[in-house]
Amino acid sequence: NLIGSRWRILEPKTNQRYHAWKGSNLKHAFGWHAHKPTSDTLIICEGEINAMSIYETEPDVNVLSMGSENSHIHPGIVAHIGNYEKVILWGDSDSCIERWTNDMPNYTRSFISPMREGNKWDANECLKRNKLDIALHKLLTGSIGQSRAVKNFFKHELGQ
């Protein structure tokens, strides 16, 4: 069943970056359609494009997008968290990660996209620069997830 439709405006003339069909219910997480019951890892990220980027690079993990950094993690998602060995939160801001960790205290690690060259290096930016596979490997193995480790990762591994 189609529950809603939302699209991104590539060159917005206003601050509105997204538009949805009237009546769309956008309170559902994007990514349930590709859920793999055998995966022991769940990555929760902000935007749908980031979720697709992660899924394209690491198809063995489950990925859910909350839709934006202003969203909360729905209690229905929190109820499924016990099914995963690893739950990783990847957001673009401190406030996003703080809100999500309050919504879901049983996460494995969190990661905030750093700013480099005036861009936030979220999953999609890493994919465009052919670095998402390296970033995900480090994130999944626990090599990054703290501020010093993140700075060193982007400085040495990504040449930033």
Side-chain angles (χ1 to χ4, degrees):
N1 292 342
L2 181 64
I3 59 171
S5 177
R6 178 171 101 154
W7 59 92
R8 187 171 185 167
I9 301 167
L10 295 178
E11 296 181 21
K13 294 184 169 88
T14 67
N15 286 337
Q16 182 182 2
R17 293 176 46 203
Y18 298 97
H19 186 74
W21 277 339
K22 185 177 180 180
S24 291
N25 181 348
L26 301 176
K27 301 225 182 270
H28 296 275
F30 173 82
W32 283 123
H33 66 285
H35 177 78
K36 294 164 286 306
T38 57
S39 178
D40 66 350
T41 302
L42 172 65
I43 298 176
I44 296 177
C45 61
E46 290 180 15
E48 294 90 345
I49 294 172
N50 288 325
M52 290 184 284
S53 298
I54 294 168
Y55 182 78
E56 180 180 320
T57 304
E58 192 63 52
D60 293 333
V61 304
N62 284 321
V63 185
L64 292 178
S65 163
M66 296 299 103
S68 77
E69 72 176 89
N70 296 319
S71 62
H72 283 272
I73 297 176
H74 190 277
I77 295 170
V78 176
H80 287 349
I81 297 307
N83 298 336
Y84 295 98
E85 189 176 307
K86 294 181 203 170
V87 177
I88 299 167
L89 309 175
W90 185 343
D92 288 343
S93 69
D94 291 330
S95 62
C96 171
I97 292 298
E98 182 178 337
R99 186 172 35 265
W100 288 358
T101 56
N102 288 332
D103 291 343
M104 186 177 53
N106 297 330
Y107 66 95
T108 308
R109 72 182 59 88
S110 63
F111 178 67
I112 299 170
S113 301
M115 292 292 289
R116 291 286 180 232
E117 301 170 354
N119 296 314
K120 69 181 165 196
W121 278 60
D122 59 13
N124 187 49
E125 186 65 26
C126 288
L127 178 65
K128 290 190 291 188
R129 296 175 184 247
N130 282 334
K131 302 296 183 180
L132 185 55
D133 55 341
I134 298 168
L136 285 172
H137 174 74
K138 297 282 188 178
L139 194 55
L140 292 169
T141 60
S143 302
I144 59 174
Q146 299 172 346
S147 60
R148 175 182 276 166
V150 170
K151 288 177 186 172
N152 288 338
F153 169 71
F154 279 92
K155 182 177 181 182
H156 298 292
E157 305 257 358
L158 301 181
Q160 297 298 317

